């Protein structure tokens, strides 16, 4: 899906991956595909809001 958003739609929409599979392989794969950030579950809503705000302030 990241590849589709980045390459097919050519969107620069911030993409934050939220996953319970936060191992190094998945993390690196997400960033290689073009994700902006990665949050491992469980996470706090405050953490998500801070990361969203950071990404939105970059644009």
């Amino acid at each position: 899906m990241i590849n589709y958003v980045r390459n097919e739609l050519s969107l620069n929409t911030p993409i934050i991956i939220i996953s319970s599979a936060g191992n190094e392989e998945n993390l690196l794969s997400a960033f290689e595909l073009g994700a902006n950030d990665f949050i491992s579950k469980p996470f706090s809503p405050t953490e998500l809001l801070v990361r969203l705000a950071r990404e939105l302030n970059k644009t």
Side-chain angles (χ1 to χ4, degrees), residues 37-48:
D37 205 347
F38 190 103
I39 301 174
S40 294
K41 291 181 184 178
F43 63 93
S44 74
T46 303
E47 177 184 11
L48 177 58

Side-chain angles (χ1 to χ4, degrees), residues 1-54:
M1 184 56 101
I2 299 170
N3 190 38
Y4 179 74
V5 171
R6 292 290 186 241
N7 299 318
E8 299 297 320
L9 299 178
S10 298
L11 294 176
N12 195 27
T13 303
I15 298 174
I16 298 175
I17 303 299
I18 300 173
S19 176
S20 61
N23 60 45
E24 185 176 355
E25 182 179 332
N26 289 337
L27 181 79
L28 292 175
S29 177
F31 285 123
E32 286 172 1
L33 290 171
N36 298 85
D37 205 347
F38 190 103
I39 301 174
S40 294
K41 291 181 184 178
F43 63 93
S44 74
T46 303
E47 177 184 11
L48 177 58
L49 290 174
V50 167
R51 290 176 185 240
L52 281 171
R54 184 183 67 201

